Amino acid sequence: MKPVIEILNTRIADAMTAATGESDCLAIVKQSGDVKFGHYQANGCMALAKRVKTNPRELAAKVVENLKIDDICETPEIAGPGFINLTLKNDFLSDRLMEIAADDKERLAIDKTSTPKKVVVDFSSPNIAKQMHVGHLRSTIIGDTIARILNFLGHDVIKQNHIGDWGTQFGRVILGLWHLCMAQKHGNTYYRTELKELKDCKEDDGKLKELCLAIRDRHEKDWEEDRLDKRGDGEVLFHPYIKKLKGLDKGELWSQFLEVYQYVNLVEESITGMNLEVPSRKMIDGEYVYSNMPYESVSRLATVMLQNEDDQENKAWEYISELTLNYCQKIYDRLSVLLTEDDVCGESFYKDRLPGIVEELKDKDLATESEGAMCVFPEGFTNKEGNPLPFIIQKSDGAFLYATTDLAAINYRIKELDAEKIIYVTDARQQLHFQMLFATAKAAGWLTDDVEVSHVTFGTMMGEDGKPLKTRSGENVNLSDLLDEAVERASKVVEAKNPDLGDAEKASIANAVGIGAVKYADFSNNRTTDFIFSFDKSLAMEGNTAPYMQYAYARVKSIERKAVDKGIDVAAELTSLDTLNITEPAEMDLALHIIRYSEAINVAAGDCRPNYLTAYLYDLAQKFSTFYNACPVLIATEDKRPTRLMLCDLTAKTIAHGLTNLLGIEVVEKM
RNA sequence: GCGCCCGUAGCUCAGUCGGAUAGAGCACUGGUUUCCUAAACCAGGGGUCAGAGGUUCGAAUCCUCUCGGGCGUACCA
């Protein structure tokens, strides 16, 4: 079933052509803002009148003469400078609703696209060795809903979770494991105490330096001592430790690892600029060469070593990556995000392709060396000094970085996944990166005109103070903590409002409401701007929130339950209906809105803007609430009751479909 | 400096690519429960769409400039 707006667009455009002889006329049909202008309005006559140099009102009259639309609308009215106002016929509305109700494929009679595409959606993409925090929430759920919507519309969607598992932090992972191993040697968790100390003396330069010196000294000593044959071979402790990793308790290792990873990062941050050095070794022409290196470069050295040498340290990294994904999967499941391990295709997936990517760009004379790094200088990008801005594809130390993996990924998606469209869902700060990525991929001939790339950006999630959401101690808010709090708060509301429900039911409602509220708050904001997150507002029953809609749904379900008590056979009344008896304004308003669902989905999909969909659903829930108050269902007379039951049923189906199928938010029978 | 995003009611935000009198919610004021969940509904006040020019039948929306905010700008992602 085609959206009404599409039918109107086609019919009016044809009439415009018939009236003027002009081809490709645009009818520009929109939903009217005010019922006094009908249900839809066509705005195309003004523009066309200019094109053919005639009076727009006269043209509109001519168009109406040529318009065959009496199967859908009342007689069109011409208003203002040349609007054509259209009001749907009651019978047409009724037929539409009946058709939606008759759909047995749970698609609410919404057609799949006639031009399906293979679409890659790149989203979520958390980093290895980190807990997901609120910064990952938006990409994860916005990407998920985009994938769901496009899939519903019939596109062939390939989800790609491009996890950050091969960049610089890669070396930090190994360094973290090294510290865990050394902590075992010392018989204490020094990383834990020092993590706290480092934070505490952040402001005190003298103390900080003293602490960092001690850390460096111990590091050197540990490194020197861990040798069987050559200095720093790690054969006594570190390598045996890595071999045993798989035998360790997963939960315990994960929590230790999170801590030590923070430690590695903080140490590196703290020592930068202190000119501390540690001994290191490098393989040069098959021989180890020993020299001192800046302490802050240790993790980078580890990255290079690991990207070059392939051994058990690689396996250790693989293991940590598995641990991370294991944890992420729990969050995805909690969020009802459809990602699975099958969708994981992270940076490391491309590791063997990276040298080839760099070589190819060199061969094509696109990549050149600059300040020791291998760079592409795509046209049109300049830095602060006005010089060409480099897109660095290989660092001066030889390591690859995210530009390289993203280039490999775009190449893979186009050439091997046969993507016709690629959507990247990341925060707005990465815009320049993606512009340069696309420019480079175009210059290399990988990205051609028949492939559409789109960077779907979003702003930062702010706390109620208007600053990026952080904990009191200044850290990123852990995503699972945020969800816990939302569920906790929701459960208090459930307890207060509906104390008679069973414990299991309360818990399940609290979960649906809490998680739904967090997700919905995000969706309902225009994704391009930063938005201020507030538990109170998200969980409020008033306004454009998940609970408000879940409540509308629960009320419909309640009517259905009460109907049974009253001996009303809802199913029978619904099937006995062949035409609706719509008389009240509230019924009409609701009915009209229900048939517009597909229009909302199309608009949301076209711009990858979930807030269009939430706005639609909120309107629907509001119109239902108005209807609910104005038009009693179960005590209605026999001629009205089936129609009202039908409106209830379709409202519930639409809300459930929008929330659950497209947004991944659960509905509840009671709340 | 340059680039991108943004500036709409006291607050938080919409505004479907130029359409008619700029919309919600919160907060504020008043009203509605012998009636299907009042976690709701109804009514009311509240605006120089940051400012100034321009484009045209018509601008919150497009162009130019100014002011104000955020982000990015060579080896993090």
Side-chain angles (χ1 to χ4, degrees):
Chain A
M1 185 167 90
K2 269 192 177 170
V4 179
I5 203 163
E6 256 180 53
I7 302 173
L8 296 178
N9 255 318
T10 312
R11 298 264 189 109
I12 292 170
D14 289 348
M16 287 163 82
T17 300
T20 61
E22 292 284 309
S23 57
D24 45 78
C25 295
L26 288 177
I28 318 183
V29 176
K30 309 210 163 185
Q31 295 177 6
S32 297
D34 192 321
V35 281
K36 77 181 176 206
F37 302 131
H39 296 151
Y40 291 87
Q41 60 183 55
N43 302 336
C45 285
M46 279 89 83
L48 182 62
K50 193 189 292 180
R51 197 159 99 197
V52 300
K53 298 194 174 63
T54 182
N55 178 299
R57 270 194 81 105
E58 282 169 24
L59 175 64
K62 238 171 149 183
V63 169
V64 170
E65 275 170 37
N66 283 281
L67 184 59
K68 290 188 199 78
I69 203 140
D70 60 349
D71 52 330
I72 300 175
C73 301
E74 306 291 348
T75 310
E77 286 178 12
I78 296 160
F83 298 105
I84 300 174
N85 291 340
L86 302 158
T87 302
L88 299 180
K89 280 186 169 166
N90 228 314
D91 288 349
F92 176 77
L93 200 51
S94 170
D95 290 349
R96 281 256 143 179
L97 291 165
M98 294 303 295
E99 209 174 323
I100 294 170
D103 181 18
D104 56 0
K105 293 185 290 290
E106 296 188 9
R107 295 186 57 85
L108 298 164
I110 294 170
D111 293 342
K112 292 191 175 181
T113 175
S114 54
T115 52
K117 280 189 173 175
K118 191 167 245 190
V119 186
V120 167
V121 185
D122 176 328
F123 66 103
S124 192
S125 310
N127 283 336
I128 191 174
K130 279 190 186 162
Q131 293 204 74
M132 287 180 85
H133 56 80
V134 292
H136 299 111
L137 178 67
R138 302 200 82 184
S139 175
T140 303
I141 65 175
I142 292 171
D144 181 60
T145 197
I146 289 171
R148 285 169 181 263
I149 292 170
L150 293 178
N151 185 58
F152 175 71
L153 289 176
H155 295 287
D156 181 5
V157 176
I158 305 173
K159 299 186 289 265
Q160 293 278 283
N161 192 357
H162 190 76
I163 64 167
D165 61 356
W166 197 254
T168 305
Q169 81 276 36
F170 178 97
R172 298 193 183 121
V173 166
I174 299 303
L175 197 54
L177 285 175
W178 186 83
H179 279 294
L180 282 182
C181 173
M182 293 307 139
Q184 222 169 55
K185 168 191 169 193
H186 290 285
N188 63 42
T189 50
Y190 64 78
Y191 55 87
R192 183 173 301 161
T193 32
E194 288 172 5
L195 181 62
K196 193 172 175 305
E197 286 169 357
L198 282 167
K199 280 181 188 167
D200 288 346
C201 63
K202 227 173 187 166
E203 309 299 320
D204 187 339
D205 285 353
K207 247 180 151 177
L208 188 64
K209 177 114 194 197
E210 200 180 306
L211 183 56
C212 288
L213 269 172
I215 290 171
R216 191 215 69 94
D217 289 348
R218 183 191 56 228
H219 189 120
E220 175 172 358
K221 197 156 168 272
D222 286 343
W223 186 79
E224 294 283 4
E225 283 175 10
D226 186 12
R227 62 183 287 189
L228 201 59
D229 178 22
K230 295 194 162 63
R231 281 175 69 201
D233 65 16
E235 290 301 338
V236 177
L237 298 168
F238 189 46
H239 288 173
Y241 173 79
I242 283 178
K243 275 187 195 155
K244 285 188 306 189
L245 269 185
K246 281 199 176 168
L248 299 177
D249 178 78
K250 270 192 181 178
E252 201 179 316
L253 180 61
W254 175 237
S255 67
Q256 283 175 355
F257 193 75
L258 285 175
E259 215 170 347
V260 82
Y261 188 75
Q262 275 184 46
Y263 171 73
V264 168
N265 279 289
L266 189 57
V267 168
E268 195 166 308
E269 189 187 311
S270 305
I271 58 176
T272 299
M274 284 186 183
N275 295 320
L276 302 183
E277 295 198 327
V278 283
S280 68
R281 61 176 199 172
K282 257 187 195 169
M283 177 73 83
I284 294 175
D285 298 332
E287 283 290 320
Y288 281 111
V289 176
Y290 293 86
S291 66
N292 279 352
M293 68 183 297
Y295 193 22
E296 58 264 42
S297 302
V298 169
S299 70
R300 264 174 281 172
L301 177 70
T303 306
V304 182
M305 284 167 61
L306 291 161
Q307 289 183 357
N308 292 335
E309 302 170 25
D310 172 38
D311 57 8
Q312 51 191 329
E313 287 160 341
N314 258 306
K315 293 209 174 62
W317 158 83
E318 259 171 39
Y319 186 62
I320 292 296
S321 142
E322 202 183 302
L323 270 183
T324 307
L325 287 171
N326 190 37
Y327 162 80
C328 288
Q329 193 60 47
K330 284 182 187 156
I331 299 270
Y332 294 150
D333 293 346
R334 244 188 124 180
L335 285 169
S336 302
V337 159
L338 297 178
L339 283 172
T340 69
E341 57 183 280
D342 294 342
D343 304 312
V344 173
C345 192
E347 293 174 343
S348 65
F349 173 83
Y350 303 100
K351 62 186 176 189
D352 297 333
R353 303 165 190 248
L354 302 179
I357 290 288
V358 174
E359 280 313 305
E360 192 174 336
L361 291 171
K362 277 203 244 177
D363 290 345
K364 289 182 170 165
D365 283 331
L366 290 166
T368 49
E369 203 185 304
S370 168
E371 297 179 28
M374 193 53 65
C375 308
V376 177
F377 293 90
E379 265 181 60
F381 298 90
T382 52
N383 65 10
K384 285 173 215 165
E385 288 78 38
N387 298 322
L389 188 66
F391 191 54
I392 299 174
I393 56 172
Q394 191 171 16
K395 301 200 283 184
S396 50
D397 61 11
F400 302 112
L401 64 172
Y402 73 129
T404 337
T405 47
D406 272 338
L407 280 166
I410 199 169
N411 203 2
Y412 169 75
R413 290 165 186 178
I414 294 169
K415 298 215 173 106
E416 294 179 49
L417 297 180
D418 298 318
E420 293 167 274
K421 181 169 181 175
I422 309 173
I423 297 173
Y424 293 85
V425 187
T426 81
D427 69 286
R429 289 175 305 192
Q430 296 193 40
Q431 204 174 52
L432 183 62
H433 167 73
F434 281 105
Q435 282 172 357
M436 295 183 85
L437 172 70
F438 299 155
T440 302
K442 269 185 191 151
W446 301 333
L447 175 56
T448 48
D449 288 343
D450 51 348
V451 180
E452 186 187 347
V453 286
S454 156
H455 184 205
V456 170
T457 62
F458 51 84
T460 310
M461 217 168 142
M462 308 291 214
E464 290 187 77
D465 54 0
K467 292 188 209 143
L469 201 58
K470 301 268 167 157
T471 60
R472 268 189 219 101
S473 53
E475 279 151 21
N476 286 320
V477 176
N478 194 334
L479 195 43
S480 61
D481 292 347
L482 182 90
L483 297 179
D484 285 347
E485 185 168 351
V487 173
E488 173 65 30
R489 285 172 181 246
S491 89
K492 280 186 184 144
V493 181
V494 176
E495 187 60 52
K497 301 285 181 187
N498 224 335
D500 299 334
L501 295 171
D503 286 348
E505 197 166 19
K506 279 181 198 161
S508 130
I509 292 167
N511 192 62
V513 171
I515 306 276
V518 169
K519 291 183 73 173
Y520 191 90
D522 203 323
F523 291 144
S524 57
N525 269 78
N526 180 337
R527 36 154 258 267
T528 59
T529 47
D530 295 344
F531 89 101
I532 296 185
F533 177 79
S534 146
F535 279 112
D536 288 335
K537 286 200 172 136
S538 315
L539 286 163
M541 203 53 52
E542 309 87 36
N544 189 5
T545 65
Y548 180 82
M549 261 157 312
Q550 288 166 321
Y551 179 59
Y553 181 85
R555 282 165 126 189
V556 177
K557 292 292 142 181
S558 176
I559 290 176
E560 288 172 5
R561 284 192 301 270
K562 288 274 159 53
V564 175
D565 298 345
K566 292 196 173 204
I568 298 167
D569 187 339
V570 176
E573 292 210 9
L574 291 180
T575 45
S576 72
L577 205 57
D578 12 85
T579 180
L580 297 184
N581 177 22
I582 294 170
T583 52
E584 300 294 321
E587 293 170 331
M588 171 60 90
D589 220 25
L590 180 58
L592 179 65
H593 201 67
I594 289 170
I595 67 159
R596 288 175 165 174
Y597 182 44
S598 62
E599 294 172 15
I601 296 174
N602 284 326
V603 174
D607 266 6
C608 293
R609 285 179 194 262
N611 67 308
Y612 290 156
L613 185 55
T614 58
Y616 169 84
L617 292 171
Y618 178 54
D619 276 348
L620 178 63
Q622 265 188 322
K623 287 175 197 301
F624 174 76
S625 288
T626 301
F627 159 84
Y628 180 91
N629 274 49
C631 309
V633 179
L634 299 179
I635 57 169
T637 50
E638 303 262 326
D639 60 326
K640 292 192 167 173
R641 194 170 66 201
T643 291
R644 291 183 180 176
L645 282 170
M646 177 64 85
L647 289 172
C648 286
D649 185 54
L650 292 180
T651 299
K653 279 184 175 146
T654 306
I655 290 178
H657 187 270
L659 285 186
T660 306
N661 295 30
L662 300 185
L663 299 177
I665 294 172
E666 287 174 57
V667 290
V668 290
E669 303 291 307
K670 294 179 189 172
M671 67 182 282

